[in-house]
């Protein structure tokens, strides 16, 4: 499957952005989708993940209550709604997908076989 992330940009602290991850090439509903981010000088870290049918979702503590992951399998697209953004959310955001079943390893980058190209999110203070 090919993934295309979009929707990044520059926003002031407290603002919102919605990222999209468009998929093509395979049956999208079979794939767990994860969002990861990487700030300069930092390792890539997990942000959130959603199961193929959209029933299950997990968030890291730093974004829980501010970010919402969703998906529209009819449109082969996953979304990341980011509200109450903070300067520490500044990073390149990547979407990733994998067709192994939903399990407790959804925050492990190595489980994801397919990756998008990343979209820059910059939050100014």
């Amino acid at each position: 499957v090919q993934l295309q992330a979009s929707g990044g940009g520059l926003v002031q602290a407290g603002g919102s952005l919605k990222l999209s991850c468009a998929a093509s090439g395979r049956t999208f509903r079979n794939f767990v989708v994860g969002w990861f981010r990487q700030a300069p000088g930092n390792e890539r870290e997990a942000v959130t993940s959603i199961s193929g049918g959209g029933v299950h979702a997990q968030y890291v503590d730093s974004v829980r209550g501010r970010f919402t992951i969703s998906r529209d399998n009819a449109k082969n697209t996953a979304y990341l709604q980011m509200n109450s953004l903070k300067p520490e959310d500044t990073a390149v955001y990547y979407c990733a997908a994998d067709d192994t079943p939903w399990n407790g390893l959804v925050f492990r980058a190595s489980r994801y076989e397919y990756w998008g190209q990343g979209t820059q999110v910059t939050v100014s203070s």
Side-chain angles (χ1 to χ4, degrees):
V1 65
Q2 292 79 44
L3 302 175
Q4 179 76 33
S6 62
L10 173 64
V11 64
Q12 289 187 333
S16 298
L17 281 175
K18 186 173 184 177
L19 306 184
S20 297
C21 177
S24 61
R26 298 273 298 275
T27 304
F28 187 57
R29 66 177 179 270
N30 293 338
F31 287 79
V32 171
V33 173
W35 284 96
F36 291 75
R37 66 186 180 186
Q38 187 167 19
N42 291 355
E43 294 186 353
R44 188 171 298 187
E45 64 174 359
V47 177
T48 180
S49 182
I50 189 167
S51 60
V55 174
H56 306 288
Q58 288 190 8
Y59 300 88
V60 295
D61 289 344
S62 60
V63 307
R64 187 176 293 113
R66 300 188 297 121
F67 290 12
T68 303
I69 190 171
S70 62
R71 63 192 299 159
D72 184 338
N73 287 336
K75 295 182 178 179
N76 289 347
T77 303
Y79 305 96
L80 180 62
Q81 177 67 47
M82 305 185 294
N83 298 329
S84 302
L85 282 161
K86 304 175 181 180
E88 51 263 43
D89 294 318
T90 295
V92 177
Y93 283 70
Y94 299 89
C95 61
D98 187 77
D99 63 356
T100 54
W102 178 263
N103 57 27
L105 302 177
V106 294
F107 284 166
R108 187 170 293 182
S110 59
R111 74 157 278 160
Y112 293 91
E113 183 173 0
Y114 305 100
W115 290 82
Q117 85 289 0
T119 184
Q120 176 70 47
V121 172
T122 303
V123 184
S124 63
S125 58

